[in-house]
Amino acid sequence: MSAPSVGEAPIRTAVVGLGWAARSIWLPRLLRNPAFTVTAAVDPDERGRAAVAEAEGADRLPVLAAVHDLDPAEVDLAVVAVPNHLHCAVATELLAKGIPVFLEKPVCLTSEEAERLAAAERSGGAVLLAGSAARYRADVRGLYRIAARLGHIRHVELAWVRARGVPDRGGWFTQRSLAGGGALVDLGWHLFDIAVPLLGTAAFRHAIGTVSADFITQRSSGAAWRGDDDGPALPGATDVEDTARGFLVTDDGRSVVLHASWASHEALDTTRVTIDGSGGSATLRCTFGFSPNRLEKSTLTRTVDGTTRPVAVPTEPIGTEYDRQLDLLPAQLRDPAGRGRVIEEVRRTIGAIERVYASARIPREVRVSAPV
Ligand SMILES: NC(=O)c1ccc[n+]([C@@H]2O[C@H](COP(=O)([O-])OP(=O)(O)OC[C@H]3O[C@@H](n4cnc5c(N)ncnc54)[C@H](O)[C@@H]3O)[C@@H](O)[C@H]2O)c1
């Protein structure tokens, strides 16, 4: 955990959106990290505001109903964790006022929203940073180190397949107009994010995929660790996929297979990343995120000339990657070259997601199975 450098005051931080992510991930970490001081919390919903007022260490925070009420002179950073369809509107308002924003994933839902964010970043002169912490996991960093010894990377397979873990089933996460999509924008965003250091800046020349929704209507498919109110098992209450598969090819001739599932036939929630290079291959098996239904430990292997060897990787306490990302935020905020960096990556990610959806959507959009 990083203390502010000598002469640097803690970063005055407003937390915007006081739901599960803010209360479980960001507020507790911000409150215990000396590089930050939380100075305001914002949520239009009385339930979010009340929950924060009851949280340990946050009971005396000024709690506001709208970002409009934040004074740019009093805020160095806004951590934004609102429902997906509001990411762009809330972040552009803050950026245009000159308030730097750390925006949860998915940063935006369309390429057009990416351009609005880029314009607000330019006009307000404030930096946009993005939340997607998987790149900061120790096991993923171990995989990157091995990848550097695999020669030319030819192919990457990225899979995050939960046994059960549909967030807020029946709520905004499972309505396309509010979430922008299902497992692809939610878990798939993290998978695209970890691929960036492997693929560099090459654009995607081709992107196709499929989506399905065979599990989402089952009550048991919910993400129990979130403690959401479990909605009814009505097919009509959801119109997003629980599973998405994609096949993408970069301009420089590398291929990517992506598989994101909120629920499946599996017993455990598993993330699997395989890299095939000209000089060998490597596979990481672990569990991303907060699900308690996880692999006991992370395993990393390297295969060369027919021999597969284990590579030691630490298994960290759940959520360590979020602490690590927070520790790096002060330097990113102060980096004058940081503006525009996130949006460059975001353009490629959202462009690929749009194309996978465009290729996958059949007339009935997503085929939803009957409730079980
Ligand atoms: N990085 C991760 O691992 C991770 C994990 C969970 C969620 N998330 C992301 O965090 C975001 C929030 O997810 P969640 O699970 O907390 O959702 P949630 O529904 O639990 O919370 C969203 C909160 O935002 C509030 N809100 C709505 N409009 C607002 C506005 N205009 N201004 C301020 N607050 C507003 C809602 O009242 C609610 O309290 C989503 O984009 C999600 O994808 C990221």
Side-chain angles (χ1 to χ4, degrees):
M1 198 170 295
S2 56
S5 310
V6 177
E8 276 168 1
I11 294 163
R12 297 167 303 170
T13 306
V15 178
V16 179
L18 303 173
W20 188 87
R23 299 205 306 264
S24 312
I25 303 177
W26 299 117
L27 252 181
R29 285 177 172 77
L30 287 163
L31 287 167
R32 64 175 183 251
N33 191 320
F36 300 86
T37 175
V38 183
T39 50
V42 184
D43 200 308
D45 189 312
E46 176 52 36
R47 283 169 303 177
R49 299 203 297 272
V52 161
E54 284 165 19
E56 198 186 331
D59 49 332
R60 269 178 276 158
L61 269 184
V63 187
L64 312 172
V67 282
H68 177 75
D69 300 328
L70 287 174
D71 179 353
E74 308 265 315
V75 182
D76 304 316
L77 172 70
V79 172
V80 177
V82 297
N84 295 355
H85 71 293
L86 296 170
H87 282 193
C88 179
V90 169
T92 51
E93 180 174 345
L94 291 162
L95 288 168
K97 287 206 300 195
I99 299 177
V101 170
F102 175 81
L103 182 55
E104 260 298 354
K105 49 59 44 178
V107 169
C108 59
L109 300 179
T110 61
S111 294
E112 191 265 327
E113 284 190 352
E115 294 318 315
R116 295 216 312 262
L117 286 164
E121 202 186 17
R122 282 194 301 272
S123 72
V127 68
L128 171 67
L129 301 170
S132 178
R135 233 188 262 183
Y136 301 92
R137 293 172 59 94
D139 50 13
V140 171
R141 289 173 159 200
L143 179 70
Y144 292 154
R145 280 194 293 277
I146 295 295
R149 294 161 50 201
L150 296 179
H152 296 290
I153 293 178
R154 304 297 188 197
H155 178 73
V156 179
E157 286 181 31
L158 305 153
W160 185 351
V161 178
R162 286 181 177 159
R164 293 171 296 282
V166 181
D168 193 19
R169 225 182 108 266
W172 69 261
F173 267 101
T174 55
Q175 294 171 53
R176 183 137 74 95
S177 59
L178 305 178
L184 182 60
V185 282
D186 189 45
L187 306 184
W189 192 282
H190 291 275
L191 296 176
F192 277 114
D193 192 60
I194 60 163
V196 170
L198 300 171
L199 299 174
T201 53
F204 288 116
R205 181 189 295 259
H206 304 291
I208 55 168
T210 59
V211 292
S212 54
D214 294 327
F215 303 91
I216 203 163
T217 55
Q218 298 171 12
R219 272 183 181 280
S220 61
S221 67
W225 65 91
R226 287 178 52 96
D228 299 319
D229 298 335
D230 201 19
L234 295 177
T238 69
D239 61 357
V240 298
E241 79 284 356
D242 56 42
T243 294
R245 295 177 174 88
F247 186 82
L248 305 98
V249 179
T250 61
D251 266 348
D252 56 4
R254 288 174 289 170
S255 48
V256 176
V257 164
L258 187 134
H259 178 184
S261 281
W262 273 339
S264 68
H265 303 295
E266 297 300 317
L268 293 173
D269 298 3
T270 306
T271 311
R272 188 171 183 278
V273 183
T274 295
I275 302 169
D276 279 325
S278 55
S281 65
T283 297
L284 171 68
R285 289 183 84 249
C286 58
T287 302
F288 281 5
F290 293 89
S291 162
N293 187 33
R294 55 201 301 122
L295 298 184
E296 240 172 67
K297 58 185 181 108
S298 305
T299 53
L300 176 60
T301 56
R302 178 169 180 242
T303 302
V304 178
D305 288 336
T307 305
T308 298
R309 292 204 169 84
V311 179
V313 277
T315 298
E316 305 179 294
I318 294 174
T320 303
E321 64 271 31
Y322 294 87
D323 292 298
R324 208 169 273 135
Q325 185 172 27
L326 213 49
D327 281 343
L328 294 172
L329 264 188
Q332 291 173 350
L333 264 180
R334 292 180 186 115
D335 178 2
R339 248 185 290 143
R341 199 179 277 158
V342 159
I343 215 70
E344 272 308 304
E345 288 178 11
V346 163
R347 281 189 180 110
R348 180 169 75 165
T349 298
I350 195 59
I353 287 175
E354 285 174 321
R355 287 156 70 197
V356 169
Y357 276 141
S359 94
R361 282 190 176 128
I362 48 177
R364 170 71 174 82
E365 314 251 348
V366 174
R367 198 128 31 97
V368 179
S369 299
V372 175

